[in-house]
Amino acid sequence: MSNVMDKPVSRRGLFSTVGRLGVTAALAGGVMSPTGVAVASGHEEKLNKSVERYMGAGEVTYEKVTIDAPIIAENGRVVPVKVTVDHPMTDDDFIESVGIFVDKNPIPFAARFRLKPGQAGKAVVATRLKIGKSSNLRAIARTNNGKLLGGLREIKVTIGGCGG
Amino acid sequence: MSSGIGKAKIRIPRSIQAGDTVEVKALIRHPMETGLRKNKKTKEKIPAHYIDEVTVEFRNETVLVADWGAAVAKDPFFSFFLQVDGPGVLKITWKDNKGEVYSKTTEVTVK
């Protein structure tokens, strides 16, 4: 970890590193916050609470969840977001909910979709979000066994989604 | 208030065979005010007014429940996948933070 901290990192580099660290920690069985971010700033704390409230407590393994969204959102008021969870939807092994969070929005929670096995053929949901400023977008999926899977995506916003 | 509130469009593929998994798309008319915006002239806060719960029923069974925050964009769009085992009514019901409840139904036919 020290080699990561030693050199100056770009935002992009930092985010992808955080993503990798999350996976590594989960594999190693390390104790991490729900978002896989060890350092808690104001945003992180709000985000962690929000994730815990809507998705339940637990470590998030950052795998199997893909977020489709523009890399640069020209208009932060309407950003299309699609979340695909690569997981079966059978009666005894399924995704029970998918939550979408915007790390730097004043209220990080954006949406949660609760799915039914056998009715939702695939764990794929889409919507459009308001994103106030460039931020990480985070999708968390909860399996019926309470396991949390996650995906991260950085979105650059050129016109904010919260102004008048 | 914004006109057209309470209206929605539901789109499903035209030709469905029993057993198919299809993508359902819905568009609901709603201002989705966050409560954080200010009226530029009066400097007063515009009260929060957003849909916080959406329920989808198919053939009288709940198939999806969505909980939304104010970050969902104005005139919300959402899509999901539905396994269609036979014909029936698809009903989308949405409730906003002021307690207003609306719904829209569409007939799903299979070949």
Side-chain angles (χ1 to χ4, degrees):
Chain A
M1 207 143 145
S2 63
N3 60 328
V4 175
M5 298 306 174
D6 289 343
K7 58 187 178 189
V9 286
S10 66
R11 278 171 61 84
R12 187 178 301 271
L14 176 66
F15 287 133
S16 66
T17 306
V18 166
R20 277 199 301 275
L21 287 174
V23 172
T24 314
L27 288 175
V31 180
M32 295 285 269
S33 59
T35 48
V37 179
V39 186
S41 67
H43 278 309
E44 302 296 354
E45 205 181 308
K46 228 179 183 182
L47 178 71
N48 290 344
K49 274 188 187 160
S50 186
V51 170
E52 201 171 310
R53 177 175 164 202
Y54 287 96
M55 307 312 296
E59 288 169 39
V60 180
T61 309
Y62 281 82
E63 60 175 15
K64 294 183 180 170
V65 180
T66 312
I67 302 173
D68 285 312
I71 296 168
I72 298 176
E74 285 187 10
N75 183 353
R77 286 177 206 165
V78 189
V79 183
V81 175
K82 185 173 199 170
V83 179
T84 304
V85 188
D86 180 18
H87 195 276
M89 286 300 280
T90 57
D91 284 345
D92 50 6
D93 188 15
F94 60 96
I95 296 297
E96 66 176 27
S97 63
V98 177
I100 307 174
F101 302 83
V102 185
D103 289 18
K104 291 189 180 170
N105 267 6
I107 301 162
F109 173 72
R112 177 179 65 181
F113 295 88
R114 289 180 262 162
L115 310 174
K116 291 274 163 72
Q119 298 285 354
K122 298 184 213 176
V124 179
V125 292
T127 185
R128 292 176 191 152
L129 301 180
K130 292 188 277 245
I131 300 180
K133 56 181 172 183
S134 297
S135 170
N136 253 4
L137 191 66
R138 202 177 288 271
I140 314 267
R142 186 183 172 89
T143 69
N144 59 314
N145 298 316
K147 197 175 166 213
L148 299 177
L149 303 169
L152 271 180
R153 172 110 192 202
E154 191 193 353
I155 311 243
K156 285 198 194 320
V157 175
T158 45
I159 304 171
C162 293
Chain B
M1 289 309 301
S2 89
S3 60
I5 198 164
K7 285 190 178 154
K9 278 182 193 159
I10 305 173
R11 277 188 21 213
I12 49 167
R14 208 175 295 168
S15 139
I16 302 172
Q17 290 186 338
D20 279 359
T21 295
V22 301
E23 187 173 21
V24 178
K25 296 177 181 180
L27 194 61
I28 303 171
R29 291 279 286 274
H30 202 282
M32 297 301 282
E33 278 295 346
T34 58
L36 304 171
R37 282 197 326 142
K38 278 181 182 167
N39 180 321
K40 277 182 179 158
K41 282 177 190 158
T42 64
K43 308 279 182 207
E44 276 174 30
K45 271 197 174 177
I46 302 169
H49 189 199
Y50 60 93
I51 297 170
D52 54 16
E53 193 179 277
V54 183
T55 305
V56 182
E57 291 157 280
F58 181 53
R59 285 149 60 100
N60 295 319
E61 255 188 76
T62 302
V63 295
L64 176 111
V65 179
D67 310 283
W68 286 352
V72 172
K74 180 185 172 183
D75 293 338
F77 163 85
F78 72 103
S79 75
F80 60 96
F81 282 83
L82 177 70
Q83 192 177 323
V84 180
D85 292 325
V89 174
L90 182 77
K91 183 181 183 189
I92 299 183
T93 307
W94 59 100
K95 176 185 96 54
D96 68 26
N97 66 320
K98 293 185 178 178
E100 290 161 356
V101 180
Y102 304 95
S103 68
K104 168 96 182 174
T105 57
T106 190
E107 201 78 40
V108 179
T109 54
V110 297
K111 286 191 174 165

